[in-house]
Amino acid sequence: MDRFCCFLKCIECGQEYSPQEVIYTCHKCGGLLSVEYEKSKIPSDLDEIWKKRPLSVWRYAELLPIRNKEKAVSLGEGGTNLNRCKRLSEKLGLKRLYVKNEGENPTGSFKDRGMTVGVTMALELGMKKVACASTGNTSASLAAYAAKAGLECFVLIPSGKVAFGKLTQAIIHGAKVIQIRGNFDEALKIVREICSKHLVYLLNSVNPFRLEGQKTAAFEIRDQLSGEAPDKLIVPVGNAGNISAIWKGFKELYEQGMIERLPQMIGIQAEGAAPIANSLKHSLTTVKFVKNPETVATAIRIGAPVNWKKAVRAVKESCGFMETVSDAEILEAQKLLAQYEGLFVEPASAASVAGLAKLIQMGQIDRDETVVCIVTGHGLKDPDIVLKRFRKPVEVEATTEAVVQAMTSKPQAAQVLAS
Ligand code: AN7
């Protein structure tokens, strides 16, 4: 099929670029780039075409920058469950709460949606080497997709600040893992510089093709809600790529006449790493970066989010907003998801649900609204945080009596030590 189904466009000055060019930001003004589609080339019967395929990223090929699905570097990404959370919604005082569990993706996070497209693009562009900076999940995902594609992979991570499971993934998939004595923002700055000078393809979310994959979460939600968008869509925010991507997805559905109304986008940042949320709250015209971000949710320990302009637009265009949550609120939401809904998510993922709980208390969400929270990554990526927080299981003699006694005695194993 036609490779030139799309083009790149600067979100600031409108300059257009060919999708065959290796480019991450506008050469004229430095603005972020967006992937746009020739409207006349989009089939009018998208719904009919999509319905025939399983729920997955590649179901939506007509609105992806790679038309030839045969070439896709795929591990079976997307198609994640949209859980109707009855127990949790009752607890929070809401009628309809859904949680989209992105931890079900092949490497355990939403990043796989982007990497299947981004790494396929790397092959199309003839690149042999790929790289990223990462708080963990991006590196785990890129390492896996690069392995599948046979590409050399480099990942830069902040030393000592990446959850154990994610580091393990990058190592086993054979990436060259480089720990820097610095934070994520510094790692990203370095890798951007390297990729601008060498033949290494950058796969952080400044890469607009990656975000195209991530927008499919919006398409899936619409399909899973029988053709509708929710009232509110709540998503954890770090580098701010995902909230921008999901908003783009909903806008495209709207432009195609496939949804009747758009959701309000709500971004949640951790208190110690909340440059966008805080700047929006103070009505600043620009985002004031946080120099030393800190949070238990290491995945979103980001002070200089590269996609802040796209994210601010997403929030403003959708009449949404951003909110912050404390580490204690994040960990409480992680526990609620696990113990009310059977969903084990990593701390950053729980930020969306922590935000929901806070917003309900503040009266910002009506109990009749349909809310979708995105939970972004699997809990097994960061088991340390759980073991630190919860009491160790009791150990008893191997006798029926001792076990029965343990079963009836308090405290139970799964109790929180301290928040
Ligand atoms: C679980 O892996 O930035 O706002 O380098 O792993 O699109 O950045 C991870 C981000 C939310 C924030 N939840 O998404 C990385 C990285 C989880 C994450 C985010 C991340 P963006």
Side-chain angles (χ1 to χ4, degrees):
M1 233 193 269
D2 183 8
R3 296 173 90 190
F4 295 95
C5 55
C6 66
F7 57 95
L8 295 167
K9 189 173 178 183
C10 174
I11 69 159
E12 306 275 351
C13 72
Q15 177 70 31
E16 294 180 6
Y17 298 92
S18 157
Q20 303 304 108
E21 207 173 319
V22 177
I23 180 174
Y24 309 103
T25 48
C26 180
H27 289 325
K28 267 175 77 184
C29 74
L32 294 168
L33 301 175
S34 170
V35 178
E36 303 294 329
Y37 298 85
E38 304 283 359
K39 299 273 180 289
S40 58
K41 290 190 186 164
I42 301 174
S44 56
D45 55 345
L46 278 181
D47 228 359
E48 291 310 309
I49 300 171
W50 290 355
K51 264 187 204 154
K52 295 190 185 110
R53 304 177 187 146
L55 196 74
S56 67
V57 167
W58 294 100
R59 168 186 249 190
Y60 309 103
E62 286 69 21
L63 286 181
L64 291 176
I66 293 135
R67 289 282 173 94
N68 189 348
K69 282 197 293 178
E70 307 308 311
K71 284 192 194 160
V73 182
S74 173
L75 296 167
E77 45 294 311
T80 58
N81 205 48
L82 186 68
N83 297 272
R84 176 85 194 261
C85 294
K86 289 204 173 134
R87 292 191 71 220
L88 188 56
S89 47
E90 250 168 54
K91 165 111 182 133
L92 297 176
L94 204 65
K95 275 194 190 151
R96 271 179 309 280
L97 168 62
Y98 296 88
V99 169
K100 185 141 176 83
N101 185 12
E102 291 289 274
E104 290 174 15
N105 276 297
T107 77
S109 86
F110 71 99
K111 305 283 181 184
D112 297 342
R113 290 185 188 275
M115 286 307 172
T116 184
V117 175
V119 170
T120 303
M121 204 64 205
L123 287 184
E124 277 216 353
L125 293 166
M127 303 299 280
K128 301 275 186 284
K129 298 175 183 180
V130 290
C132 69
S134 181
T135 57
N137 281 324
T138 300
S139 60
S141 183
L142 180 58
Y145 283 86
K148 173 96 178 168
L151 297 171
E152 199 176 344
C153 176
F154 303 90
V155 306
L156 265 71
I157 55 171
S159 187
K161 292 290 183 181
V162 167
F164 196 60
K166 305 174 190 179
L167 184 60
T168 314
Q169 288 177 287
I171 293 171
I172 189 66
H173 290 304
K176 176 120 198 198
V177 181
I178 302 160
Q179 305 196 68
I180 65 151
R181 293 186 203 98
N183 63 26
F184 168 83
D185 303 303
E186 291 165 299
L188 182 57
K189 193 164 169 252
I190 294 167
V191 81
R192 284 182 77 173
E193 200 180 318
I194 291 169
C195 291
S196 72
K197 292 186 184 144
H198 301 271
L199 271 179
V200 184
Y201 195 54
L202 179 64
L203 276 159
N204 278 99
S205 56
V206 68
N207 183 320
F209 294 115
R210 223 196 80 187
L211 295 185
E212 288 304 286
Q214 287 176 216
K215 80 183 176 188
T216 59
F219 298 169
E220 288 186 9
I221 289 167
R222 177 252 181 204
D223 287 348
Q224 289 170 312
L225 291 179
S226 312
E228 284 191 28
D231 295 302
K232 291 198 161 67
L233 196 296
I234 311 184
V235 52
V237 171
N239 226 3
N242 208 30
I243 191 169
S244 315
I246 294 172
W247 175 240
K248 186 173 189 282
F250 278 115
K251 274 204 306 189
E252 287 177 359
L253 290 174
Y254 188 75
E255 280 160 18
Q256 293 301 313
M258 296 174 78
I259 46 173
E260 278 169 19
R261 54 193 184 95
L262 288 157
Q264 266 181 294
M265 300 297 292
I266 302 175
I268 307 295
Q269 295 202 290
E271 256 170 30
I276 311 178
N278 285 334
S279 301
L280 280 174
K281 279 189 185 182
H282 293 106
S283 305
L284 301 181
T285 46
T286 182
V287 164
K288 203 166 155 251
F289 292 157
V290 174
K291 205 149 190 254
N292 296 305
E294 206 46 81
T295 167
V296 68
T298 51
I300 51 172
R301 188 173 167 271
I302 295 172
V306 68
N307 287 299
W308 71 266
K309 280 194 180 165
K310 284 186 178 176
V312 167
R313 281 190 191 182
V315 163
K316 292 199 167 160
E317 284 173 11
S318 71
C319 301
F321 51 91
M322 290 222 193
E323 188 49 82
T324 61
V325 287
S326 67
D327 283 358
E329 286 167 328
I330 288 174
L331 295 178
E332 179 60 19
Q334 184 191 34
K335 189 182 100 177
L336 286 178
L337 279 163
Q339 299 187 0
Y340 277 73
E341 296 296 341
L343 297 172
F344 181 25
V345 307
E346 66 165 290
S349 310
S352 56
V353 173
L356 170 66
K358 184 171 175 180
L359 292 168
I360 292 173
Q361 288 220 320
M362 290 164 70
Q364 300 246 38
I365 290 183
D366 199 82
R367 81 172 248 107
D368 291 325
E369 289 183 300
T370 301
V371 178
V372 171
C373 285
I374 309 278
V375 294
T376 39
H378 202 289
L380 286 174
K381 287 185 172 262
D382 194 0
D384 294 358
I385 192 77
V386 179
L387 295 176
K388 268 190 211 143
R389 195 164 170 250
F390 288 81
R391 216 177 276 280
K392 260 194 177 168
V394 291
E395 186 180 321
V396 299
E397 292 305 320
T399 64
T400 309
E401 296 74 34
V403 173
V404 169
Q405 201 188 3
M407 285 167 75
T408 49
S409 75
K410 287 186 178 179
Q412 296 289 321
Q415 267 190 351
V416 176
L417 283 176
S419 284

